[in-house]
Each structure stands twice: as structure tokens, then as C-alpha cells.
Amino acid sequence: MASSVPPPPPAIALDGLAKTFPGGVEAVAPTTLTLEAGRTTALVGPSGCGKSTILRLIAGLETPSAGGVDIAGEPPLAIRRRGELAVAFQDPSLLPWRSVRGNVALAMTLARRPTDPRAIDRLIDLVGLGGFGDTRPGALSGGMRQRAAIARCLVTEPRLLLLDEPFGAVDELTRRQLAQDLPRIWEARGTTTLLVTHSVSEAVTLADRILVFSPRPATVVADIDVPFERPRAPGLATRPEAIALAERVSSALAEGRAARERSLAAQ
Amino acid sequence: MSAIASEAPRRSWRPPAAVLGVLAILAVWELSARALAGAYLLAGPSDVTAYLWQNAGLMGRALRATLAEAAAGFVIGNAAAILLAALALLWPRAERGIAALALLVFCLPLVATGPILRVLFGPGPGPQITLAALAVYYTTLVPLLVGLRAAPSTWFDLVHSYGRGRLAELWHIRAMAALPYLFAGLQIAAPAAFLGAMVGEFTGAERGMGVLTIRAMRALDVEATWALAAVAALVSMAAYGAFGWLARRVLTEAPPVILAAPGGAATPRRGEGLARIAVVTVLALALWWGLLEAFGVNAFFAKRPDDVWAFLITAPDAGENRATLFGALAETAVYVLPGYLAGLALGAGLAVLLTLLPALAGAAMPVAIALRSVPIVTTAPLIVLVLGRGATGTVALVAVMVFFPTLIACLHGLRQAPGQVLDVFDAYASGRWRRLVHAQVPAMWPAFFATVRIAVPAAVLAVTVVEWLATGRGVGALMALSASLSDYGMLWSAVVVVAVLSCALYAVVAAVEARVLAIYAAEQGR
Amino acid sequence: MRMAHPTRRHVLGGLGAAGLAGLAPRRLLAQPTPVSLQLSWLHSVQFAGSYIAQENGWWAERGLDVSLAPGGPNAPVEPPVVSGNALVGISAADYTAAAVAEGAPFKILMVAMQKNPFVVASLPDNPVNEPADLVGKSIGMALANTPVLEALCRINDVDIDEIEIVPTQYSAAPLLSGEVDCLLCWETDLPVAMAVQGQESVTMLMADHGYSVHSQTYIATEDSIANRRDQLVALLAGEVQGWTRYREDTEAAAQLTVDRFPDAGLDIETQTLQAERQVPLMFSDLTDENGFGWWTDETVQANIETLALLGRDVSPDLWDRSILEEVHGQ
């Protein structure tokens, strides 16, 4: 069913989206913005700022307290139902009783696609787990599990890809390799990608646009365009203009925190 | 992973210790038999072996008959449990209703259900199979409902992120997550099914181990009596071992870390609870009345709800009837409550001890299984002889019936402490005791409470059977007497009151459980 | 526990049987009508007369295909008879009276045990030969049978408070282990078991001391008596014939029982002894004169008096001799 002419990637519109949890914890302040179709947007912010909640709201895994999410004119459930969404969770969430291959295949089953063993093995190789296809997650390291989760996420060729700290446990060398290889997949398909990360350099290397968030409740404090050409060159992160951009992001982060502390002190 | 590696040696039995345990049992058994020679109460392993050798054909045919009934009941009962659990998950609003009705049916005393089943089924193995199924379905259902929730929430997010719903959750995640709990349920169910089939034969069967047991006990044939008990125990132990082996083959993964947010669930509003009770009551009454009418069961012995109401409330002698019934219940309560608590304490205590001293498990498990597997009909006279006909004997019998499922469930629960969490303790080189208190015991709570709930009807069942067959007191004896004197108004009233009281006690336990689990296993509230 | 705990069995369709009987009353050698006889206990020589009748085709030649449903400790006789699953059940006068008091439309059609089989069994060195000997002794029994002991004491002017009642399981073990001085049981079960184990015992038959309750009584519903009379006559006729043959050779009866039920765990020694000990309970001058299963107004009156002591208010029309008269009139 991997059709030769994929449907165009969707744009995502958040309209006054906000989330307050039952205990009264305000995770996301009302947010209105548009994520362009076919581009990679990084959400950068301090730990616990609510960026993961935004991702879950976009996926429709949380119900917003106010506002809404519109994905190419539809609610999140519609794209989920068609199996066109994939999420890489912070926790790899691999099922312990399935092998790596079985876990990747599960995504195809859940997305109601016919299982394609060659596609599965290709992705397992791509994330550097070649030879571990029959291994159960219990026998893998944390980084290997995360890579298996990434393979699972890509195997269904989603139109919308939501990545929540996907490389948190991956070692530096592999992370660089993945940062090289993975974008090719979604670039080729023009997938709309949302990357939640607290790593500034990761955001700079991978994203077309960086939204910097304040501490909780999440509000956008900076919207930074990443003007580098695609495909990104291997040494991009060490180039002066990339370092300068990373500096901008870091100072926006620091500013966001300072502003939040000021407003708390004023209360 | 280290979790798996360190799990392996903790798993229950190692052959040498098990062999020692079995040898110890045999030695104690033989010596006791010799000490009690002439009392016609106990035959030792040598006599039993000789009897089995000489009567292999007879025993083989009886075993085949009872085993077939037990196996059919086992399959049907467990299949029903799995279906009910799946239904409860797919249709969450109905879960509490299903669980309550299932409980009510499980609380029906077999002294009373046996004859009714015989009339419904006619000749053949119908009642035996049904009683075996009834003996197992609930003890599988309860752990299954726990196990079906024992998965981290992100697994469900994964399913939802592909737009899939409860059915996919059930199929891809819950079913597998529940397997360890299912196996624990099946291990408990195996001896129960066999005993259920044997007691089913008391309702009028042509052949089987139950038939031979009645005959042997009346004929003072202690060799036959204990040969039957030994075979029953062996079958139960074999089934227990087989399911344990299967579980170890299938369940090679360490249990997942489940971190669910506390609170949220377990706060049903007061009105909701009352409404649920009302719905379940109406449903139960409708089922009761409807089934009897549908099968056209004669009202002489199959009393309807209004008959019981009249018997206890509106009839001229209702006061007298109530006095008789509640007098008997009070007699029973004196035995059942201490026995229940003692059984729980023993089961949980032994589970903790075996976790601290794993070397002991190999020797202790066979003893525990044997205790549970030897039919209560056979052991009752012996325990009564040793402990006397007073409270102690009955209390001990109830404790024995409660203790085994508690032990199994707690052992299983203690194993649910996730490997990563135990690794944290290992990192600090914490002793077994600390691990136990801070990681394993908290992990045990869901399984422990499940068994505390299950044990309520098990204890009631045990006490009524003992009263019926051995002591001749209390509500168990009253039910047997009512059946033989055709006092079916009393019989059905006793059944209703016993079932309702069991359910009430169960509800009290469930309320305590909800408070504890809100902290230790919030996923159970989902 | 009293012995007569029941059981059941099912006709392959009570409706079909009734219908057939209605259409073709008693056609000899035609398709036999299936009916069920509900026994009061597990298969044993206690019901040997039935096995003999079946073995010899004495029911088949009367147009009946009788199935014998075993009982057990958890299998009351009355429900299958009331519900029509069994045409006839084997009960006892006290149980039948209790069921009738609860609204069951039963009649007693035939009395197999003229004398009630209840005994007080004791050991020879501490015997209970007559009711007065019970004073100061402990007796092991089911508490449910307390009314039986009370009745015996009332009839014989014994103060029941002088007897220590110990609730026991139905087994001779408590007597042999010295836990109790005597047992309330049946003449034909626990004392036989003790004898086979080489333990002599003394039995005091309660029927010899005024306890008159017909046992192993054949009961049917009023509806069956009205509408299935031919089948009842045929069934009881086969029984009478079977029990008559039984008396001629109890050893053969025991052998037949053991052979017929190889899976029941019966041993020939026990069955032979039990068969022998049943004879004086089942056969008397009365039956010699009038035929097996007979009773008179006098024996019924004695029953009514004992039943009154058991708290049962019974009228003589609980007994219906018309079927038996037809059987013996043949």
C-alpha cells in the first residue's frame, strides 16, 4: 500500500490550544501557531515546560482544555485512524515479548498496513540494529531500544511524524549518524515533522524552524528560522553560522526563564 | 539483561530441594500413619502404594472419568473467565457489574447448587463439569482483570497514536501483559477443578474418584481413601507443575515498570455505588427468576425470589426461620473469620519467607500444594482428630483452603517487582529485607488484594463443606439438612444470605484495596 | 448424615414417555417406554432387587426401559421425582412426610424396608444393647439426626440430656478410635464395614425399640398415579419380582451387583454381608403373607406415631396401596 504518489504532508494549526491538568497544573498556556507542511519544526524548552504535552495534544492523545488542533483541515483522530501519524515517545515503549522485528512490524499492523519484511529489515539496518532483528528489547541497551522505537515510527511512512526526545539515550556517535540518515527519509517524503528536544544543537541540525518555549506553562518566547540548505552537511553543527544560531536559541531559552522568574516574583 | 539473569535463581523450585521436600513429606506421612495405626484414619505411603498396585485398573478408570470432567470444567471455566475479562475491558461501564455478578455466582454454596444442577442436567457428567468450571472461573477472572491492566500507559499511547482503540489495546498489549497473571490463575485453578469434579460426583455419578472416596470412607477402607487422596494430590501437583513450567517457558521477560499517576480513579461517588448495587441486584434477581422459568424448573425445590422473600420476611413463621438461619450463620462466622485471617496471614507470610530464603521454596512448595490438593473430605477427619472437633479443627481447615491461593498469588506478586527497580537496590547492595520491604512487597499489593477478595468465597465454601461433611454444625449443616428434609425455602434463603454476605465482605475488602492501590498500583484504577 | 440422600436421573424425555404411554397403553413387546428410577444412594446391593429385575428383562417384558439413577451425599431424591425426571424415587417415610409438608404431591407406593435400618452400634466391651444403656455414653452422629435420637428416647423413657451427642462424620472411625462410645448409623453400612475389617460390633436396631419409620419407600407423584398408572404397576411388579429372587439367593445378588458396576469400587465380601443383613429388614411375616413391599393400617399407624415424635404431622393417606394391590393381584 506504499503508494507511489504519497498524499501531500499536512500543515498543523494550533488555535488557542491550552492544557490544564485536573490537579490544576497549567501545562500549556493558550497557543496559536501554524506548523508548515513538509517542514521540520523543533520545540525547544527546559525540562517539564509542557512541550511534550503539546506533542501529545497534536497527536490527540490528550484532550485540550481550550482551543483545538487542526491537521490539514481535520482533527487529529482522522489522521491517526488512517495510520498516517507516528509518534516516537520519550520512553521507547517496546513490547517486551516481541523481538525488535516484531516491535517494528507491530506499527504496520496497528496502522493496518500489510507487513513488509524487507522494509522492516531495511529500517532496522538504517538505525544501526542490523543483526538484532530477533533480539528482544530486554536484551538491548537503552540507546538501542530508542533506535528500535525510531525504526518502528518510520516503517509506516507517516505523513506526520512526532518525535519526543528520540535520541535521549543514544550515544553521541550514533546520534550524529542518525541525525544524518533519518532526515533523508522524511525529507524525501516531505513528511511534516515535529521534534521535541532540549538539545539546542540537535534542533539546529535537524529543524527548519525552532520554537523556543518558556518554563511551564509553555509559551513561545522565540520563533527562529533555520536557513541551512538540505540535505544538511555532516559538519554543519561546527560551522560559525550554526554556532551563532545555537547561541540565539540558547539566549532565548535563558530569557524565557528569566522572564518567567520575574513574573513569578512579581506575583 | 541483569533483571532476567537475577530473576532466574529466584524462580520457585530447584530439583534437589524439591526432592528433599517430597522425601520429607513421605517420611512424615509414613511415620504418622504408623503412629495412628488402628485408628482407621490414615494410611501411609507404603500401604497406599500397595493398594494402587493391586487396584490399578479400578483407580485408572476412576481417574480417567474424574480427570475428563475436571479437564472439561477447567477449560470451560477458564474460557468463561477470559471472555468475561475481555468483555469487561471492551465495555468498561459493565465491568463492575460483570465482576459483581460473577462473584455472586461464585459465592453460591455447592451444597445447594449440586442437586439443582443434577436435576437440570440429568444423568451424566453435566453437574461434575459445571461444578469444576464454577470452582475455577472466578479465581482466574480476578487476576486476569488485574493483569489486563498491568501495562505502562505509553504502550496504550502507542496503540492510540495509530488511531486504534480498545480492541487493538486488548489484542496487542493487554492480552500479553496479562499472561503472567493468567498463568498464576491457572495454577490455582488446576487443583480446584479436580476437587470441583470430585464433589460434583456426590450429586449422583456412576463412576469417578469422588464416588470411590465416598465408598471408601464409609467402608473404613483407609488404604483406598488415602490412595484416592494421594492420586488427587499427585494430579493437582502435576497440573500445577505443568503450568509453572509452561509459564517459565513462555514468560521470559522481566515485568515492565509501571508508573501510573496516582489518584484519578478509585473515587466512585457514593450515589454511584448504591446505583450499581441496585442494578446488580435487579440483574441477579432477573437472572435467577428468568433462568428457573426458562428451564421450567419445578418450584417445589427451585425457589424463586418471591418465595425467599416470603420465607424470610412475610410468612407467619418468618421470624422463626430467620432465627434458625442467623443462628446457624453466627455459628459459622465464629469459624470462618479466624480461619480466613489465619489463612491469609499464613499464605502471605510464607510467600515473604520464601522470597527471603529462596532455598526453602523447593521444599516448601510441594508441601503447600499437597495440603491444598488432598480433598478436604479426606483430610477433615484427620485434622479433626488432631485438633479436635471444636473451633480449632474447623478454623484450620478453612485456613488451609485460603492459604494456598494466597501463597501462590503473593509469590507471583512479589515477582512483579520490575528488574530495573531491583537493580537500584542492588546498586546500593541492599539486603534482601530492604528489597522486600521497599520494592517487592509494594509490587505484591495488587495480587495480594486480588487474593484477599477471592479468598472470601473460598473460605465460605470451605467452611460450609466442612460443616456439611465433618462437624455437622452451622450453615453448611443447615443447608444439607434442609435439602434432605425438602426444606427448600430454608435452603435457598441460606444460599441467598450466604452469597450476599460473602459479597458484602468482599466489598469491604475491595474498599480497603482501592485506598492502598491508589498509591501502589494506580494503573489498576484505569 | 442419614443414609437416604438421594439422586436422580433423567428419563430420556419425560414428555415423550408420557405421550407414548397415553397413545399406546401397555403394548407388550412394543418399543419399551423409557422411565427412570431414582435410587437413594450410590449403586450397591442395597438396590439389588432392581438389578435382578433389569438383568432378567422383567421390566422389558412389561414394556418398560428402566434406567437406574444413582444417588449420593449431595443428591436429594425428591426433586427429580417432583420435576418428572424420575417416575419413581426411593425415599423414606420421614423424608417423604417432610417433602409433602413442603407441598410435594407424593404418595408412598411400596415399602422395601419394613423395619427402619437405624441402629446404635457399639463395641462388645462397652455395648449398647437397649436404649437404657445409652445413659452416660457419648454417641457419634450427624446433628441433623438429633430428632431421631430424641424420638427413641421419648419412646423408651430415656433422658436425652444424659447422652453426650458428638457431631461426627458418617464413619466408624470415631467409634474405633475411642472418640465415642457408640454411633447412630444404619445396620447395613458401618457395622458391615467394621465386620469386614474384622471388628465385631453390637447393634441395637431402633425398630426393635419402637422406632417405626418405613424406609426405602417407593414414592411417586399423584399426577403419575393418575396418569401413568400402567408404568407404575409395571415398574413395581418388576421390583417385587426382583426382590423375591433376591431373597432366594443373596450371594448371587451380591455377585450380580459387583459384576454390574465394576467401576463402583464394590467388594464382594462387603456386598455379600450387606445383602444378608438386609433380609430381616425387608422380609417379615407380613410380606410372606401379603407379598413384598406390603403394609397394613397398623404399621401405618405405628409410623404416624413415630413421625409425630419427629415433629411430622402425617395422615394415613400418605400411603397409597392401590398400585401394590394391583401388582400382587396379577
Side-chain angles (χ1 to χ4, degrees), chain B residues 417-492:
Chain B
Q420 292 100 307
V421 173
L422 293 181
D423 289 347
V424 173
F425 285 84
D426 288 345
Y428 291 103
S430 308
R432 283 176 181 161
W433 178 250
R434 269 172 193 281
R435 274 163 76 115
L436 182 78
V437 171
H438 295 291
Q440 292 172 314
V441 167
M444 181 189 83
W445 288 130
F448 175 73
F449 275 107
T451 193
V452 171
R453 280 184 280 130
I454 294 174
V456 171
V460 172
L461 232 56
V463 80
T464 50
V465 169
V466 173
E467 288 172 337
W468 164 37
L469 293 172
T471 65
R473 293 173 190 276
V475 78
L478 177 66
M479 287 193 282
L481 178 65
S482 306
S484 70
L485 291 181
S486 300
D487 192 353
Y488 290 99
M490 178 63 83
L491 181 64
W492 284 78

Side-chain angles (χ1 to χ4, degrees), chain A residues 56 80 93 110 136 138, chain B residues 1 154 157 160 162 164 253:
Chain A
R56 292 174 58 81
R80 276 181 14 216
S93 301
L110 288 174
R136 300 241 186 137
Chain B
M1 238 207 113
T154 53
D157 285 341
H160 298 158
Y162 290 98
R164 303 294 295 271
E253 305 306 323

Side-chain angles (χ1 to χ4, degrees), chain B residues 28 76 174-175 201 209 227 230 299 360 364 439 495-496:
Chain B
V28 171
I76 293 170
R174 295 189 190 273
E201 289 170 7
M209 309 260 302
L360 218 76
V495 168
V496 170

